PDB file of all heavy atoms in Angstrom:
ATOM      1  N   ALA F 147     141.595  34.364  74.827  1.00 86.00           N
ATOM      2  CA  ALA F 147     141.971  34.581  73.402  1.00 86.00           C
ATOM      3  C   ALA F 147     141.888  33.324  72.757  1.00 86.00           C
ATOM      4  O   ALA F 147     141.889  32.120  73.438  1.00 86.00           O
ATOM      5  CB  ALA F 147     143.425  35.154  73.386  1.00 86.00           C
ATOM      6  N   ASP F 148     141.986  33.223  71.410  1.00 82.00           N
ATOM      7  CA  ASP F 148     141.877  31.983  70.663  1.00 82.00           C
ATOM      8  C   ASP F 148     143.254  31.364  70.810  1.00 82.00           C
ATOM      9  O   ASP F 148     144.283  31.939  71.164  1.00 82.00           O
ATOM     10  CB  ASP F 148     141.490  32.154  69.232  1.00 82.00           C
ATOM     11  CG  ASP F 148     142.516  32.860  68.392  1.00 82.00           C
ATOM     12  OD1 ASP F 148     143.630  32.241  68.215  1.00 82.00           O
ATOM     13  OD2 ASP F 148     142.232  34.015  67.778  1.00 82.00           O
ATOM     14  N   THR F 149     143.282  30.037  70.460  1.00 76.00           N
ATOM     15  CA  THR F 149     144.474  29.247  70.712  1.00 76.00           C
ATOM     16  C   THR F 149     145.742  29.675  69.928  1.00 76.00           C
ATOM     17  O   THR F 149     146.828  29.598  70.352  1.00 76.00           O
ATOM     18  CB  THR F 149     144.181  27.710  70.319  1.00 76.00           C
ATOM     19  OG1 THR F 149     143.040  27.253  71.058  1.00 76.00           O
ATOM     20  CG2 THR F 149     145.332  26.816  70.622  1.00 76.00           C
ATOM     21  N   PHE F 150     145.482  30.336  68.817  1.00 81.00           N
ATOM     22  CA  PHE F 150     146.595  30.661  67.929  1.00 81.00           C
ATOM     23  C   PHE F 150     147.030  32.159  67.968  1.00 81.00           C
ATOM     24  O   PHE F 150     147.735  32.679  67.184  1.00 81.00           O
ATOM     25  CB  PHE F 150     146.223  30.372  66.479  1.00 81.00           C
ATOM     26  CG  PHE F 150     145.857  28.944  66.332  1.00 81.00           C
ATOM     27  CD1 PHE F 150     144.561  28.600  66.159  1.00 81.00           C
ATOM     28  CD2 PHE F 150     146.838  27.919  66.246  1.00 81.00           C
ATOM     29  CE1 PHE F 150     144.105  27.230  66.021  1.00 81.00           C
ATOM     30  CE2 PHE F 150     146.434  26.631  66.138  1.00 81.00           C
ATOM     31  CZ  PHE F 150     145.096  26.197  66.076  1.00 81.00           C
ATOM     32  N   SER F 151     146.507  32.846  68.993  1.00 88.00           N
ATOM     33  CA  SER F 151     146.848  34.255  69.171  1.00 88.00           C
ATOM     34  C   SER F 151     148.294  34.526  69.514  1.00 88.00           C
ATOM     35  O   SER F 151     148.837  33.780  70.161  1.00 88.00           O
ATOM     36  CB  SER F 151     145.909  34.827  70.184  1.00 88.00           C
ATOM     37  OG  SER F 151     146.241  34.312  71.487  1.00 88.00           O
ATOM     38  N   ARG F 152     148.800  35.590  69.054  1.00 95.00           N
ATOM     39  CA  ARG F 152     150.222  35.997  69.292  1.00 95.00           C
ATOM     40  C   ARG F 152     150.126  37.524  69.647  1.00 95.00           C
ATOM     41  O   ARG F 152     150.392  38.445  68.909  1.00 95.00           O
ATOM     42  CB  ARG F 152     151.040  35.754  68.050  1.00 95.00           C
ATOM     43  CG  ARG F 152     151.291  34.380  67.673  1.00 95.00           C
ATOM     44  CD  ARG F 152     152.034  34.110  66.406  1.00 95.00           C
ATOM     45  NE  ARG F 152     153.352  34.797  66.449  1.00 95.00           N
ATOM     46  CZ  ARG F 152     154.172  34.641  65.554  1.00 95.00           C
ATOM     47  NH1 ARG F 152     153.940  33.979  64.299  1.00 95.00           N
ATOM     48  NH2 ARG F 152     155.431  35.236  65.530  1.00 95.00           N
ATOM     49  N   TYR F 153     149.847  37.621  70.937  1.00 96.00           N
ATOM     50  CA  TYR F 153     149.612  39.074  71.466  1.00 96.00           C
ATOM     51  C   TYR F 153     150.763  39.437  72.530  1.00 96.00           C
ATOM     52  O   TYR F 153     150.891  38.663  73.510  1.00 96.00           O
ATOM     53  CB  TYR F 153     148.235  39.178  72.125  1.00 96.00           C
ATOM     54  CG  TYR F 153     147.117  38.834  71.301  1.00 96.00           C
ATOM     55  CD1 TYR F 153     145.933  38.295  71.750  1.00 96.00           C
ATOM     56  CD2 TYR F 153     147.115  38.947  69.938  1.00 96.00           C
ATOM     57  CE1 TYR F 153     144.731  38.034  71.039  1.00 96.00           C
ATOM     58  CE2 TYR F 153     146.015  38.749  69.118  1.00 96.00           C
ATOM     59  CZ  TYR F 153     144.860  38.172  69.563  1.00 96.00           C
ATOM     60  OH  TYR F 153     143.759  37.962  68.850  1.00 96.00           O
ATOM     61  N   ALA F 154     151.326  40.498  72.329  1.00 97.00           N
ATOM     62  CA  ALA F 154     152.057  41.263  73.428  1.00 97.00           C
ATOM     63  C   ALA F 154     151.081  41.686  74.493  1.00 97.00           C
ATOM     64  O   ALA F 154     149.939  41.949  74.301  1.00 97.00           O
ATOM     65  CB  ALA F 154     152.852  42.401  72.842  1.00 97.00           C
ATOM     66  N   MET F 155     151.622  41.745  75.695  1.00 98.00           N
ATOM     67  CA  MET F 155     150.921  42.106  76.947  1.00 98.00           C
ATOM     68  C   MET F 155     151.651  43.133  77.704  1.00 98.00           C
ATOM     69  O   MET F 155     152.834  43.113  77.686  1.00 98.00           O
ATOM     70  CB  MET F 155     150.601  40.950  77.830  1.00 98.00           C
ATOM     71  CG  MET F 155     149.923  39.744  77.007  1.00 98.00           C
ATOM     72  SD  MET F 155     148.152  40.236  76.778  1.00 98.00           S
ATOM     73  CE  MET F 155     147.430  40.169  78.415  1.00 98.00           C
ATOM     74  N   GLY F 156     150.890  44.042  78.352  1.00 98.00           N
ATOM     75  CA  GLY F 156     151.554  45.036  79.164  1.00 98.00           C
ATOM     76  C   GLY F 156     150.910  45.287  80.460  1.00 98.00           C
ATOM     77  O   GLY F 156     149.576  44.989  80.698  1.00 98.00           O
ATOM     78  N   TRP F 157     151.668  45.778  81.437  1.00 98.00           N
ATOM     79  CA  TRP F 157     151.128  46.262  82.796  1.00 98.00           C
ATOM     80  C   TRP F 157     151.239  47.869  82.733  1.00 98.00           C
ATOM     81  O   TRP F 157     152.377  48.365  82.334  1.00 98.00           O
ATOM     82  CB  TRP F 157     151.860  45.681  83.908  1.00 98.00           C
ATOM     83  CG  TRP F 157     151.433  44.359  84.220  1.00 98.00           C
ATOM     84  CD1 TRP F 157     152.174  43.234  83.865  1.00 98.00           C
ATOM     85  CD2 TRP F 157     150.324  43.846  85.000  1.00 98.00           C
ATOM     86  NE1 TRP F 157     151.476  42.024  84.380  1.00 98.00           N
ATOM     87  CE2 TRP F 157     150.404  42.470  85.028  1.00 98.00           C
ATOM     88  CE3 TRP F 157     149.165  44.547  85.517  1.00 98.00           C
ATOM     89  CZ2 TRP F 157     149.352  41.666  85.572  1.00 98.00           C
ATOM     90  CZ3 TRP F 157     148.240  43.773  86.151  1.00 98.00           C
ATOM     91  CH2 TRP F 157     148.338  42.367  86.208  1.00 98.00           C
ATOM     92  N   PHE F 158     150.234  48.547  83.151  1.00 98.00           N
ATOM     93  CA  PHE F 158     150.271  50.020  83.206  1.00 98.00           C
ATOM     94  C   PHE F 158     149.716  50.331  84.636  1.00 98.00           C
ATOM     95  O   PHE F 158     149.032  49.619  85.248  1.00 98.00           O
ATOM     96  CB  PHE F 158     149.406  50.548  82.132  1.00 98.00           C
ATOM     97  CG  PHE F 158     149.812  50.262  80.773  1.00 98.00           C
ATOM     98  CD1 PHE F 158     149.472  48.943  80.198  1.00 98.00           C
ATOM     99  CD2 PHE F 158     150.652  51.037  80.029  1.00 98.00           C
ATOM    100  CE1 PHE F 158     149.851  48.623  78.980  1.00 98.00           C
ATOM    101  CE2 PHE F 158     151.112  50.654  78.682  1.00 98.00           C
ATOM    102  CZ  PHE F 158     150.692  49.503  78.268  1.00 98.00           C
ATOM    103  N   ARG F 159     149.899  51.665  85.029  1.00 98.00           N
ATOM    104  CA  ARG F 159     149.374  52.131  86.225  1.00 98.00           C
ATOM    105  C   ARG F 159     148.959  53.562  86.149  1.00 98.00           C
ATOM    106  O   ARG F 159     149.497  54.260  85.318  1.00 98.00           O
ATOM    107  CB  ARG F 159     150.303  51.866  87.381  1.00 98.00           C
ATOM    108  CG  ARG F 159     151.671  52.670  87.321  1.00 98.00           C
ATOM    109  CD  ARG F 159     152.503  52.307  88.403  1.00 98.00           C
ATOM    110  NE  ARG F 159     153.791  53.056  88.509  1.00 98.00           N
ATOM    111  CZ  ARG F 159     154.771  52.980  89.247  1.00 98.00           C
ATOM    112  NH1 ARG F 159     154.862  51.835  90.035  1.00 98.00           N
ATOM    113  NH2 ARG F 159     155.791  53.725  89.291  1.00 98.00           N
ATOM    114  N   GLN F 160     148.059  53.978  86.975  1.00 98.00           N
ATOM    115  CA  GLN F 160     147.597  55.349  87.086  1.00 98.00           C
ATOM    116  C   GLN F 160     147.349  55.696  88.479  1.00 98.00           C
ATOM    117  O   GLN F 160     146.409  55.081  89.157  1.00 98.00           O
ATOM    118  CB  GLN F 160     146.407  55.507  86.179  1.00 98.00           C
ATOM    119  CG  GLN F 160     145.971  56.975  86.011  1.00 98.00           C
ATOM    120  CD  GLN F 160     145.079  57.248  84.915  1.00 98.00           C
ATOM    121  OE1 GLN F 160     144.288  56.346  84.471  1.00 98.00           O
ATOM    122  NE2 GLN F 160     144.976  58.439  84.429  1.00 98.00           N
ATOM    123  N   ALA F 161     147.972  56.749  88.979  1.00 97.00           N
ATOM    124  CA  ALA F 161     147.767  57.297  90.332  1.00 97.00           C
ATOM    125  C   ALA F 161     146.832  58.503  90.163  1.00 97.00           C
ATOM    126  O   ALA F 161     146.726  59.101  89.214  1.00 97.00           O
ATOM    127  CB  ALA F 161     149.051  57.606  90.969  1.00 97.00           C
ATOM    128  N   PRO F 162     146.065  58.781  91.410  1.00 93.00           N
ATOM    129  CA  PRO F 162     145.200  60.045  91.260  1.00 93.00           C
ATOM    130  C   PRO F 162     146.054  61.182  90.817  1.00 93.00           C
ATOM    131  O   PRO F 162     147.073  61.596  91.435  1.00 93.00           O
ATOM    132  CB  PRO F 162     144.709  60.131  92.697  1.00 93.00           C
ATOM    133  CG  PRO F 162     144.841  58.720  93.176  1.00 93.00           C
ATOM    134  CD  PRO F 162     146.036  58.202  92.607  1.00 93.00           C
ATOM    135  N   GLY F 163     145.350  61.921  89.891  1.00 95.00           N
ATOM    136  CA  GLY F 163     145.940  63.244  89.366  1.00 95.00           C
ATOM    137  C   GLY F 163     147.218  63.040  88.447  1.00 95.00           C
ATOM    138  O   GLY F 163     147.710  64.047  88.015  1.00 95.00           O
ATOM    139  N   LYS F 164     147.456  61.776  88.121  1.00 97.00           N
ATOM    140  CA  LYS F 164     148.686  61.445  87.275  1.00 97.00           C
ATOM    141  C   LYS F 164     148.102  60.934  85.910  1.00 97.00           C
ATOM    142  O   LYS F 164     146.998  60.335  85.861  1.00 97.00           O
ATOM    143  CB  LYS F 164     149.593  60.574  87.912  1.00 97.00           C
ATOM    144  CG  LYS F 164     150.153  60.948  89.257  1.00 97.00           C
ATOM    145  CD  LYS F 164     151.329  62.036  88.991  1.00 97.00           C
ATOM    146  CE  LYS F 164     151.976  62.207  90.330  1.00 97.00           C
ATOM    147  NZ  LYS F 164     153.182  63.166  90.109  1.00 97.00           N
ATOM    148  N   GLU F 165     149.010  60.922  84.822  1.00 97.00           N
ATOM    149  CA  GLU F 165     148.724  60.258  83.734  1.00 97.00           C
ATOM    150  C   GLU F 165     149.012  58.815  83.743  1.00 97.00           C
ATOM    151  O   GLU F 165     149.823  58.323  84.632  1.00 97.00           O
ATOM    152  CB  GLU F 165     149.569  60.878  82.501  1.00 97.00           C
ATOM    153  CG  GLU F 165     149.279  62.308  82.236  1.00 97.00           C
ATOM    154  CD  GLU F 165     147.829  62.475  81.665  1.00 97.00           C
ATOM    155  OE1 GLU F 165     147.343  61.660  80.760  1.00 97.00           O
ATOM    156  OE2 GLU F 165     147.198  63.485  82.058  1.00 97.00           O
ATOM    157  N   ARG F 166     148.343  57.899  82.958  1.00 97.00           N
ATOM    158  CA  ARG F 166     148.593  56.630  82.922  1.00 97.00           C
ATOM    159  C   ARG F 166     149.998  56.414  82.385  1.00 97.00           C
ATOM    160  O   ARG F 166     150.553  56.984  81.400  1.00 97.00           O
ATOM    161  CB  ARG F 166     147.683  55.761  81.943  1.00 97.00           C
ATOM    162  CG  ARG F 166     147.778  54.417  81.873  1.00 97.00           C
ATOM    163  CD  ARG F 166     146.658  53.790  81.186  1.00 97.00           C
ATOM    164  NE  ARG F 166     145.421  54.025  81.889  1.00 97.00           N
ATOM    165  CZ  ARG F 166     144.147  53.573  81.467  1.00 97.00           C
ATOM    166  NH1 ARG F 166     144.076  52.828  80.449  1.00 97.00           N
ATOM    167  NH2 ARG F 166     143.106  53.901  82.233  1.00 97.00           N
ATOM    168  N   GLU F 167     150.834  55.508  83.008  1.00 98.00           N
ATOM    169  CA  GLU F 167     152.205  55.262  82.573  1.00 98.00           C
ATOM    170  C   GLU F 167     152.407  53.743  82.460  1.00 98.00           C
ATOM    171  O   GLU F 167     151.747  52.911  82.966  1.00 98.00           O
ATOM    172  CB  GLU F 167     153.077  55.805  83.628  1.00 98.00           C
ATOM    173  CG  GLU F 167     153.102  55.211  85.022  1.00 98.00           C
ATOM    174  CD  GLU F 167     154.047  55.743  86.017  1.00 98.00           C
ATOM    175  OE1 GLU F 167     154.769  56.728  85.686  1.00 98.00           O
ATOM    176  OE2 GLU F 167     154.027  55.263  87.165  1.00 98.00           O
ATOM    177  N   THR F 168     153.330  53.450  81.524  1.00 98.00           N
ATOM    178  CA  THR F 168     153.731  52.122  81.244  1.00 98.00           C
ATOM    179  C   THR F 168     154.612  51.614  82.332  1.00 98.00           C
ATOM    180  O   THR F 168     155.576  52.271  82.815  1.00 98.00           O
ATOM    181  CB  THR F 168     154.474  52.002  79.891  1.00 98.00           C
ATOM    182  OG1 THR F 168     153.675  52.605  78.882  1.00 98.00           O
ATOM    183  CG2 THR F 168     154.850  50.511  79.531  1.00 98.00           C
ATOM    184  N   VAL F 169     154.324  50.342  82.852  1.00 98.00           N
ATOM    185  CA  VAL F 169     155.188  49.673  83.890  1.00 98.00           C
ATOM    186  C   VAL F 169     156.020  48.578  83.222  1.00 98.00           C
ATOM    187  O   VAL F 169     157.370  48.717  83.451  1.00 98.00           O
ATOM    188  CB  VAL F 169     154.283  49.039  84.934  1.00 98.00           C
ATOM    189  CG1 VAL F 169     155.144  48.340  85.955  1.00 98.00           C
ATOM    190  CG2 VAL F 169     153.515  50.163  85.644  1.00 98.00           C
ATOM    191  N   ALA F 170     155.530  47.712  82.456  1.00 98.00           N
ATOM    192  CA  ALA F 170     156.250  46.677  81.879  1.00 98.00           C
ATOM    193  C   ALA F 170     155.523  46.126  80.685  1.00 98.00           C
ATOM    194  O   ALA F 170     154.302  46.135  80.657  1.00 98.00           O
ATOM    195  CB  ALA F 170     156.551  45.548  82.895  1.00 98.00           C
ATOM    196  N   VAL F 171     156.225  45.654  79.765  1.00 98.00           N
ATOM    197  CA  VAL F 171     155.596  45.035  78.521  1.00 98.00           C
ATOM    198  C   VAL F 171     156.392  43.715  78.227  1.00 98.00           C
ATOM    199  O   VAL F 171     157.606  43.549  78.427  1.00 98.00           O
ATOM    200  CB  VAL F 171     155.569  45.934  77.316  1.00 98.00           C
ATOM    201  CG1 VAL F 171     154.847  45.287  76.134  1.00 98.00           C
ATOM    202  CG2 VAL F 171     155.029  47.275  77.613  1.00 98.00           C
ATOM    203  N   ILE F 172     155.703  42.708  77.682  1.00 98.00           N
ATOM    204  CA  ILE F 172     156.247  41.385  77.306  1.00 98.00           C
ATOM    205  C   ILE F 172     155.672  41.009  75.968  1.00 98.00           C
ATOM    206  O   ILE F 172     154.657  41.243  75.551  1.00 98.00           O
ATOM    207  CB  ILE F 172     155.977  40.316  78.463  1.00 98.00           C
ATOM    208  CG1 ILE F 172     156.885  39.052  78.180  1.00 98.00           C
ATOM    209  CG2 ILE F 172     154.482  39.871  78.431  1.00 98.00           C
ATOM    210  CD1 ILE F 172     156.761  38.159  79.372  1.00 98.00           C
ATOM    211  N   ASN F 173     156.623  40.435  75.091  1.00 98.00           N
ATOM    212  CA  ASN F 173     156.214  39.982  73.820  1.00 98.00           C
ATOM    213  C   ASN F 173     155.421  38.718  73.861  1.00 98.00           C
ATOM    214  O   ASN F 173     155.300  38.099  74.875  1.00 98.00           O
ATOM    215  CB  ASN F 173     157.365  39.931  72.825  1.00 98.00           C
ATOM    216  CG  ASN F 173     158.293  38.723  73.085  1.00 98.00           C
ATOM    217  OD1 ASN F 173     158.361  38.139  74.191  1.00 98.00           O
ATOM    218  ND2 ASN F 173     159.031  38.278  72.048  1.00 98.00           N
ATOM    219  N   TRP F 174     155.013  38.233  72.714  1.00 97.00           N
ATOM    220  CA  TRP F 174     154.056  37.241  72.547  1.00 97.00           C
ATOM    221  C   TRP F 174     154.496  35.918  73.273  1.00 97.00           C
ATOM    222  O   TRP F 174     153.671  35.185  73.793  1.00 97.00           O
ATOM    223  CB  TRP F 174     153.526  36.966  71.162  1.00 97.00           C
ATOM    224  CG  TRP F 174     154.547  36.183  70.397  1.00 97.00           C
ATOM    225  CD1 TRP F 174     155.702  36.612  69.787  1.00 97.00           C
ATOM    226  CD2 TRP F 174     154.467  34.804  70.090  1.00 97.00           C
ATOM    227  NE1 TRP F 174     156.414  35.584  69.086  1.00 97.00           N
ATOM    228  CE2 TRP F 174     155.598  34.458  69.301  1.00 97.00           C
ATOM    229  CE3 TRP F 174     153.676  33.817  70.375  1.00 97.00           C
ATOM    230  CZ2 TRP F 174     155.886  33.193  68.826  1.00 97.00           C
ATOM    231  CZ3 TRP F 174     153.820  32.486  69.957  1.00 97.00           C
ATOM    232  CH2 TRP F 174     154.950  32.231  69.171  1.00 97.00           C
TER     233      TRP F 174
END
């Protein structure tokens, strides 16, 4: 990313036959 970016980031996961789900999120 550029030096001045302010982006939140997240971890997600998906198991076979399951919907994608949120695991954790962190602010900028």
Side-chain angles (χ1 to χ4, degrees):
D148 74 64
T149 304
F150 305 103
S151 61
R152 296 173 57 175
Y153 301 152
M155 303 289 291
W157 286 100
F158 303 81
R159 67 187 184 187
Q160 189 165 22
K164 300 280 190 178
E165 296 293 322
R166 184 169 299 181
E167 63 181 1
T168 306
V169 176
V171 185
I172 193 165
N173 75 335
W174 78 279

